[in-house]
Amino acid sequence: MEHPSLDIMKRAIEFGYKNGTVGCVIVKGNEIVTISGGTIFTDEYDVTGHSEINAIRKACKILKTSNLSDCWIYSTYEPCPMCMSAICWAKMKGVVYAASQSDCNERWTCDVQIKAKEIILKANHKPILIEEYCREESLKILSL
């Protein structure tokens, strides 16, 4: 599979729109490993329950490894510093996101505003970063 993939990003956007959350998809090769959303504002009240964190947890469990170096992560919004750090620690091959942190702040405030590319610059593992892919489509989730 070539990245970025319009089909995969559409799946993330559809999930996010349907569930009113950040949509996140992890793929390995040509297969979707997991599709996930956030649990911050659910009855779990988990401040670490961001969509990317939940997806990484699920993918590691499914693949039985903490090394996701063969995987790409797609997110409807730019990963926050916590999520981007987890992506680096999981050694993911690449990240594709749609709307930026500044877009997100209109609905969901990112309390620590450090851009994904800034985290990558300071990380030992440097995943490929594709920014603002399908941005306009993702912004529709903010109107929910």
Side-chain angles (χ1 to χ4, degrees):
M1 175 179 292
E2 287 192 34
H3 299 282
S5 164
L6 183 58
D7 290 339
I8 298 299
M9 184 55 86
K10 281 183 177 182
R11 294 284 300 270
I13 292 169
E14 287 169 7
F15 182 92
Y17 193 77
K18 180 180 175 185
N19 295 285
T21 186
V22 172
C24 189
V25 178
I26 293 181
V27 295
K28 180 177 180 177
N30 292 324
E31 301 293 323
I32 291 176
V33 176
T34 188
I35 300 175
S36 190
T39 54
I40 302 167
F41 303 112
T42 66
D43 59 0
E44 291 185 33
Y45 304 106
D46 180 0
V47 297
T48 66
H50 293 201
S51 298
E52 297 90 344
I53 297 292
N54 290 339
I56 290 168
R57 286 177 180 149
K58 289 178 183 177
C60 288
K61 189 172 184 177
I62 290 166
L63 298 172
K64 295 181 171 51
T65 183
S66 60
N67 183 329
L68 302 178
S69 58
D70 292 336
C71 297
W72 281 76
I73 188 166
Y74 283 71
S75 182
T76 54
Y77 296 106
E78 180 177 0
C80 76
M82 174 182 69
C83 294
M84 195 63 232
S85 295
I87 289 165
C88 292
W89 288 327
K91 297 178 176 40
M92 298 192 83
K93 184 163 185 154
V95 180
V96 181
Y97 75 79
S100 69
Q101 283 180 10
S102 57
D103 293 325
C104 296
N105 281 330
E106 293 178 21
R107 177 161 181 209
W108 298 304
T109 301
C110 184
D111 290 330
V112 182
Q113 296 194 18
I114 302 171
K115 303 290 283 172
K117 61 184 163 191
E118 293 176 49
I119 300 293
I120 292 171
L121 287 174
K122 298 196 180 271
N124 288 328
H125 175 74
K126 299 182 184 329
I128 298 164
L129 180 65
I130 299 173
E131 303 174 281
E132 298 188 1
Y133 183 73
C134 299
R135 178 180 172 266
E136 291 300 319
E137 294 89 335
S138 184
L139 289 175
K140 294 173 187 171
I141 300 169
L142 291 174
S143 65
L144 298 176

